Amino acid sequence: MSGKVLIARHAMGAKVSGHALVAKDGFSARYDLDRIGGVFSRPAHKLAGQSYVGRILVLDTAKGGVASAWMLHEMRSRDKAPLAMVFNSVNPILAQGAAFGDITMLAGFDEDVTTVVPHGAQVEIDPAAKTLRII
């Protein structure tokens, strides 16, 4: 898979590279995370117990509403935010939250990003080009 490039329909933020945390699961800043400890805390989440800080989250869909949006901003202010978020689908509120929290985000692919990107892979995200590249 190294070198594979995926094209997103939606993108925002700065160009970043880092290690991917990948799961066929959703994302809610309110219900899935320990925002103080910096780990996935909902026991049923496929990434439970893993740190999301400074990682590129590759997940199926965004869940949640307004609380998730302001929480992303709060997480960034305490250096407890993910480096970027990548989704198969995202809702407008989480997109606003990513913008408010200054978190790079890609969403909308022709293939299931959670099955293409290997867990732990080094990836590069270039929102200007709307690309995710597996390094």
Side-chain angles (χ1 to χ4, degrees):
M1 288 285 170
S2 182
K4 182 166 178 74
V5 176
L6 300 172
I7 308 294
R9 285 185 286 285
H10 313 286
M12 73 170 87
K15 185 175 182 178
V16 297
S17 63
H19 291 285
L21 287 182
V22 182
K24 182 78 171 164
D25 207 336
F27 173 82
S28 167
R30 181 175 184 185
Y31 296 111
D32 294 336
L33 306 180
D34 171 349
R35 295 179 318 279
I36 304 301
V39 298
F40 280 86
S41 58
R42 184 171 55 88
H45 198 283
K46 292 180 178 150
L47 297 174
Q50 295 188 52
S51 175
Y52 61 80
V53 178
R55 302 287 190 218
I56 295 175
L57 304 181
V58 180
L59 297 161
D60 187 40
T61 189
K63 305 181 298 184
V66 177
S68 281
W70 68 258
M71 287 174 185
L72 291 171
H73 176 52
E74 181 261 343
M75 289 159 53
R76 170 64 77 202
S77 74
R78 291 183 303 98
D79 294 324
K80 291 286 186 178
L83 184 60
M85 298 180 298
V86 177
F87 299 107
N88 284 315
S89 64
V90 68
N91 63 35
I93 292 175
L94 199 68
Q96 290 173 336
F100 185 49
D102 194 26
I103 298 171
T104 297
M105 187 175 74
L106 293 181
F109 298 87
D110 288 337
E111 49 194 318
D112 183 345
V113 71
T114 67
T115 62
V116 176
V117 177
H119 182 74
Q122 181 78 14
V123 298
E124 178 183 82
I125 296 176
D126 184 349
K130 296 185 176 180
T131 58
L132 180 151
R133 183 170 60 95
I134 302 168
I135 299 174

